[in-house]
Amino acid sequence: MQEGKVKLECVLPEEIEKRSFEIIAGELEGTALDPVQAPVIQRVIHTTADFDYVDNLCFSEAAVQKLQHAIQNGAAIVTDTQMAKAGINKTELKKYGGEVHCFMSDPDVARQAKEQKSTRAVASMDKAAALGGSLIFAIGNAPTALVRLYELIQAGKLKPEGIIGVPVGFVHVVEAKELIMQTPVPYIVARGRKGGSNVAAAICNALLYGMR
């Protein structure tokens, strides 16, 4: 081996994940985590390599159990990005009769946003609210989507089964998350600026894998 070069062993994806979770568990040793919330927190850390989520992720009372119960009863998941939609394990969700929606690219959503001088995120939440049925919202990008959900809930036009509120960014992100935490809806929120579509998908998958 030439000087300065490192030889890395070939590790299969399943083994990488296994080892990763072992490393995470080791680094979290001595940290008191709720046993029901722990798998969600650990999967988000696995996705982001960011241990700040131990403190940043906030759960309403029995949020994990309530969201899993909704999934078991066929709830659909609505996301605000195609990335989050792609990342959610749809095969697992389909076992319970659920599906994933993202309306951000729909022509009618773009048209409504333009007519109302709003954002596609807002218009897509309006479209989702018209779906009816059991809905879980997984928001990883647009704080305006969370604000619109808050408005629809306050107006009595929407009663979601739960909200995963983890948009990332600097403008209105913190405030939008705090609004969701004021509602009676079960929530999992990443307090502060951190989050992202990958985090939203990771939380959904943690819920699904915990139901196996």
Side-chain angles (χ1 to χ4, degrees):
M1 185 171 67
Q2 295 181 5
E3 187 178 348
K5 289 191 175 181
V6 179
K7 186 178 180 180
L8 299 177
E9 62 178 313
C10 181
V11 186
L12 295 175
E14 314 86 69
E15 183 63 21
I16 291 174
E17 180 171 277
K18 180 174 179 288
R19 289 194 198 177
S20 296
F21 275 98
E22 288 172 352
I23 292 169
I24 291 167
E27 294 202 25
L28 288 175
E29 190 173 354
T31 303
L33 295 178
D34 181 290
V36 177
Q37 298 172 4
V40 177
I41 296 169
Q42 290 169 346
R43 185 155 292 277
V44 171
I45 292 172
H46 175 259
T47 298
T48 62
D50 188 343
F51 282 82
D52 283 353
Y53 284 102
V54 170
D55 300 312
N56 293 353
L57 279 183
C58 299
F59 299 75
S60 63
E61 185 177 357
V64 172
Q65 296 94 325
K66 290 176 181 177
L67 289 173
Q68 288 179 329
H69 179 74
I71 291 170
Q72 286 173 332
N73 285 279
I77 297 175
V78 178
T79 79
D80 64 330
T81 66
Q82 296 295 341
M83 178 181 173
K85 180 181 178 180
I88 294 170
N89 191 320
K90 288 167 281 295
T91 301
E92 288 290 327
L93 184 61
K94 192 176 180 180
K95 291 179 182 177
Y96 308 99
E99 57 185 330
V100 185
H101 301 287
C102 179
F103 301 123
M104 292 289 285
S105 303
D106 291 6
D108 57 332
V109 165
R111 186 167 56 251
Q112 180 179 328
K114 186 176 181 180
E115 290 172 355
Q116 297 183 351
K117 294 182 172 56
S118 185
T119 68
R120 290 191 183 200
V122 169
S124 69
M125 294 302 104
D126 288 337
K127 182 170 182 175
L131 282 176
S134 298
L135 300 174
I136 293 170
F137 289 84
I139 309 302
N141 182 67
T144 53
L146 289 186
V147 173
R148 185 55 179 157
L149 289 176
Y150 175 80
E151 292 171 345
L152 291 168
I153 291 165
Q154 293 299 103
K157 296 179 180 179
L158 180 66
K159 190 177 179 181
E161 298 293 336
I163 297 175
I164 297 165
V166 293
V168 59
F170 299 94
V171 180
H172 301 316
V173 168
V174 174
E175 299 88 341
K177 293 173 180 178
E178 294 295 323
L179 283 177
I180 295 305
M181 295 175 71
Q182 296 173 21
T183 73
V185 175
Y187 64 76
I188 301 175
V189 166
R191 221 166 192 168
R193 295 171 172 177
K194 293 184 177 183
S197 297
N198 58 334
V199 176
I203 292 172
C204 291
N205 288 337
L207 294 171
L208 288 165
Y209 299 156
M211 295 162 58
R212 285 174 172 171

